[in-house]
Amino acid sequence: MTFAEILELHPKPWRVDRSTILRCIQECIDCLASCTACADACLSEEDLPSLVRCIRLDLDCADVCASTERVLIRQTEPNTRLVWTTVEACAAACGACAEECERHAAHHEHCRLCAEVCRRCKAACEALLMALPPFQA
Amino acid sequence: MTFAEILELHPKPWRVDRSTILRCIQECIDCLASCTACADACLSEEDLPSLVRCIRLDLDCADVCASTERVLIRQTEPNTRLVWTTVEACAAACGACAEECERHAAHHEHCRLCAEVCRRCKAACEALLMALPPFQA
Amino acid sequence: MTFAEILELHPKPWRVDRSTILRCIQECIDCLASCTACADACLSEEDLPSLVRCIRLDLDCADVCASTERVLIRQTEPNTRLVWTTVEACAAACGACAEECERHAAHHEHCRLCAEVCRRCKAACEALLMALPPFQA
Amino acid sequence: MTFAEILELHPKPWRVDRSTILRCIQECIDCLASCTACADACLSEEDLPSLVRCIRLDLDCADVCASTERVLIRQTEPNTRLVWTTVEACAAACGACAEECERHAAHHEHCRLCAEVCRRCKAACEALLMALPPFQA
């Protein structure tokens, strides 16, 4: 995608490892779209009543990924504590959504795939948390 | 606003104190709109170059408030860890944005007002964190 | 809400009637939150399968109101065609969601209230469309 | 990205040509991220005052692409008028943003790239508008 090329051109880039940020942004993008698609597929399933918790967590995870994506794309004078807690929330959202989607993975391929994306996004968030500079709690 | 009446009608409400959640949602709503308005007012100021960090944090704070608002409105089978980390990120975003806006409060009334909203939203997030049930870290 | 005070302080305000814009922003804010709350209340209802279309349109309407809110808050050098089509999409989203919510209003008070908010938001969008300056189609 | 595989698995897909919708979603995703990145890169440029309109339209375009992405991902019982006006607003946002970014393309490579993404997204929106079923205006 072109946005990654634009990120590379930032006149005053953040000194955090760019490839780790980029990987996390890309996973957030896929996770936001995948959770939105999974929630909607669940809405059309015959066993809809058993998928209520899955839909709810899909919607939460999509929303948290959406804000995390935007915060991470911005390289201009970031606040480390803000970035850190945002990425931590994203990891928690992806973890909760993955766990629920996995419970439906045997019956719904879209839940299985969505769980995979959530797991990858959670891992990318955790890798970024390790790469972020320290800050005062 | 009508949304608060709709929240009251939820068939299976979360057992967390409803007025504390509602207060936090309302502050997120005002903070999202206020930060969006402050960033835009900054863009039209003559001393724009001194407001770069303020605009960046306004945009971050608006995005984090937007996802927090949606997560908190949902009462159906919430995941406590997801809610907790989301609200913590929101408190951090509001704190960072308030601090920066306060630096411009003497010169720009919109920054002074925006800092006030951010402080109120941060306090509402912290009050909600105290009211949330415990979860395994 | 404080954001309205911040809007009043814009250094280079758009020449469109401010109260008409403000009214539309406020309805978008309530409609976004109300549709999010109604979708979530529907998810917890026993007749969930009959509410699928209502949830889908609630989610669409919330998303379109969210982007319309942000576009309208910004007063700095707006593009009239962009604003016009955005507000028109918002009116269409509110109209579609209101119509579906009204079908469930007799059984679900949250749908009845949500339909009311959508109708008010649609009317505010239409009033704003009348107030916007002309542009080349 | 995995979300495209999830879209393919929808139990009750919309009868609109799936590849045209998918193409439009993918362009919205790149355009949302690219406009967010371009706005932020502009914020860090030395000629920031000349980029005010570019930042404003980048932010608008990102927001409209974000809601369009979500509306298009949902395949469950769509409202054609809602989809149509949303995609039309997205085409208008991309067109306005592309035009402004092109004015800075000679000086800022990120603006040149962002204009390209906006043009592609506009074209994908227009192709989708041609493929949508008719509705009563």
Side-chain angles (χ1 to χ4, degrees):
Chain A
M1 286 192 287
T2 304
F3 88 88
E5 292 177 64
I6 297 177
L7 270 189
E8 293 291 330
L9 295 164
H10 198 285
K12 294 170 191 166
W14 202 15
R15 286 157 304 170
V16 171
D17 177 56
R18 201 88 70 105
S19 67
T20 310
I21 294 182
L22 186 59
R23 172 67 192 278
C24 193
I25 296 168
Q26 283 167 328
E27 294 297 350
C28 282
I29 286 173
D30 198 6
C31 197
L32 152 55
S34 295
C35 287
T36 304
C38 183
D40 183 66
C42 287
L43 263 189
S44 285
E45 292 290 356
E46 293 199 1
D47 61 335
L48 170 58
S50 70
L51 294 165
V52 165
R53 186 170 163 77
C54 190
I55 294 171
R56 191 252 144 88
L57 291 174
D58 274 337
L59 295 177
D60 279 0
C61 192
D63 288 334
V64 174
C65 285
S67 54
T68 305
E69 175 194 344
R70 291 181 179 218
V71 167
L72 292 180
I73 285 174
R74 296 185 191 111
Q75 302 288 302
T76 301
E77 302 194 37
N79 175 286
T80 303
R81 182 174 168 74
L82 188 162
V83 175
W84 208 94
T85 54
T86 297
V87 175
E88 197 176 45
C90 195
C94 292
C97 192
E99 215 171 283
E100 183 61 26
C101 279
E102 279 156 5
R103 296 184 58 221
H104 308 283
H107 300 92
H108 298 300
E109 181 68 3
H110 52 79
C111 290
R112 193 187 66 74
L113 287 169
C114 191
E116 279 186 11
V117 180
C118 289
R119 288 282 171 216
R120 281 205 309 273
C121 192
K122 183 173 186 282
C125 287
E126 287 164 351
L128 179 55
L129 289 173
M130 305 278 279
L132 288 179
F135 64 93
Q136 289 184 302
Chain B
M1 286 191 286
T2 303
F3 88 89
E5 292 176 64
I6 297 178
L7 270 189
E8 293 292 329
L9 295 164
H10 198 284
K12 295 171 191 166
W14 202 15
R15 286 157 302 173
V16 170
D17 177 55
R18 202 87 70 102
S19 68
T20 310
I21 294 182
L22 187 58
R23 173 67 192 279
C24 194
I25 296 168
Q26 284 167 326
E27 294 297 350
C28 283
I29 286 173
D30 199 6
C31 197
L32 151 55
S34 295
C35 287
T36 304
C38 183
D40 182 66
C42 287
L43 264 189
S44 285
E45 292 290 355
E46 294 200 0
D47 61 336
L48 170 58
S50 69
L51 295 164
V52 166
R53 186 170 163 78
C54 190
I55 294 172
R56 192 251 145 87
L57 291 173
D58 274 336
L59 296 177
D60 279 0
C61 192
D63 289 333
V64 175
C65 284
S67 55
T68 305
E69 174 194 344
R70 291 181 178 217
V71 167
L72 292 179
I73 284 174
R74 296 184 191 112
Q75 302 290 301
T76 300
E77 302 194 36
N79 174 286
T80 304
R81 182 173 169 74
L82 188 162
V83 176
W84 208 93
T85 53
T86 297
V87 175
E88 197 177 44
C90 194
C94 292
C97 193
E99 214 170 285
E100 182 62 25
C101 279
E102 280 155 5
R103 297 183 57 222
H104 307 282
H107 300 92
H108 297 300
E109 181 68 2
H110 53 79
C111 290
R112 193 186 66 73
L113 287 169
C114 191
E116 279 186 10
V117 180
C118 289
R119 288 281 171 217
R120 282 204 309 272
C121 192
K122 183 174 187 280
C125 287
E126 286 165 351
L128 180 54
L129 289 173
M130 307 277 280
L132 288 178
F135 65 94
Q136 289 184 301
Chain C
M1 288 192 285
T2 304
F3 87 88
E5 292 176 64
I6 297 178
L7 271 189
E8 294 292 329
L9 295 164
H10 198 284
K12 295 171 192 165
W14 202 15
R15 286 155 304 171
V16 171
D17 177 55
R18 201 89 69 104
S19 67
T20 310
I21 294 182
L22 186 59
R23 173 67 192 279
C24 194
I25 296 168
Q26 283 167 327
E27 294 297 351
C28 282
I29 286 173
D30 199 5
C31 197
L32 150 56
S34 295
C35 287
T36 304
C38 183
D40 183 65
C42 288
L43 264 189
S44 285
E45 292 291 355
E46 292 199 1
D47 61 336
L48 170 57
S50 70
L51 295 164
V52 165
R53 186 171 163 77
C54 190
I55 294 171
R56 191 252 145 88
L57 291 174
D58 274 337
L59 296 177
D60 279 1
C61 192
D63 288 334
V64 175
C65 285
S67 54
T68 306
E69 174 195 343
R70 291 181 178 218
V71 168
L72 292 179
I73 285 174
R74 296 186 190 111
Q75 302 290 301
T76 301
E77 302 194 37
N79 175 286
T80 303
R81 182 173 169 72
L82 187 163
V83 175
W84 208 92
T85 55
T86 298
V87 175
E88 196 177 45
C90 194
C94 291
C97 191
E99 214 170 285
E100 182 63 25
C101 279
E102 279 155 6
R103 298 183 56 222
H104 308 282
H107 300 92
H108 298 300
E109 181 68 4
H110 52 81
C111 290
R112 193 187 65 75
L113 287 169
C114 191
E116 279 186 10
V117 180
C118 289
R119 288 283 172 216
R120 283 204 309 272
C121 192
K122 183 173 188 282
C125 287
E126 288 165 350
L128 180 53
L129 289 172
M130 306 278 279
L132 288 179
F135 64 93
Q136 288 185 302
Chain D
M1 287 192 285
T2 304
F3 88 87
E5 293 177 63
I6 297 178
L7 271 189
E8 294 292 329
L9 295 164
H10 198 284
K12 295 170 192 165
W14 202 16
R15 286 156 304 172
V16 171
D17 177 56
R18 201 88 69 104
S19 68
T20 311
I21 294 182
L22 186 58
R23 173 68 193 279
C24 194
I25 296 168
Q26 283 168 326
E27 294 297 350
C28 282
I29 286 174
D30 198 6
C31 197
L32 151 55
S34 294
C35 287
T36 304
C38 183
D40 182 66
C42 288
L43 263 190
S44 285
E45 293 290 355
E46 291 198 2
D47 61 336
L48 170 57
S50 69
L51 295 164
V52 165
R53 186 171 164 76
C54 189
I55 294 172
R56 192 253 145 87
L57 291 173
D58 274 336
L59 296 177
D60 279 1
C61 191
D63 288 334
V64 174
C65 284
S67 54
T68 305
E69 174 195 344
R70 291 181 178 218
V71 167
L72 292 179
I73 285 175
R74 297 186 189 112
Q75 302 290 302
T76 300
E77 303 194 36
N79 175 286
T80 303
R81 181 172 168 75
L82 187 162
V83 175
W84 209 93
T85 54
T86 298
V87 175
E88 197 177 45
C90 194
C94 292
C97 192
E99 213 170 285
E100 182 63 26
C101 279
E102 280 155 5
R103 297 184 56 222
H104 308 282
H107 300 91
H108 298 300
E109 180 69 4
H110 53 80
C111 289
R112 192 186 67 74
L113 288 170
C114 191
E116 279 186 11
V117 180
C118 289
R119 288 281 171 215
R120 282 204 309 273
C121 192
K122 182 173 188 281
C125 287
E126 287 165 350
L128 180 54
L129 289 173
M130 306 277 278
L132 288 178
F135 66 93
Q136 289 185 301

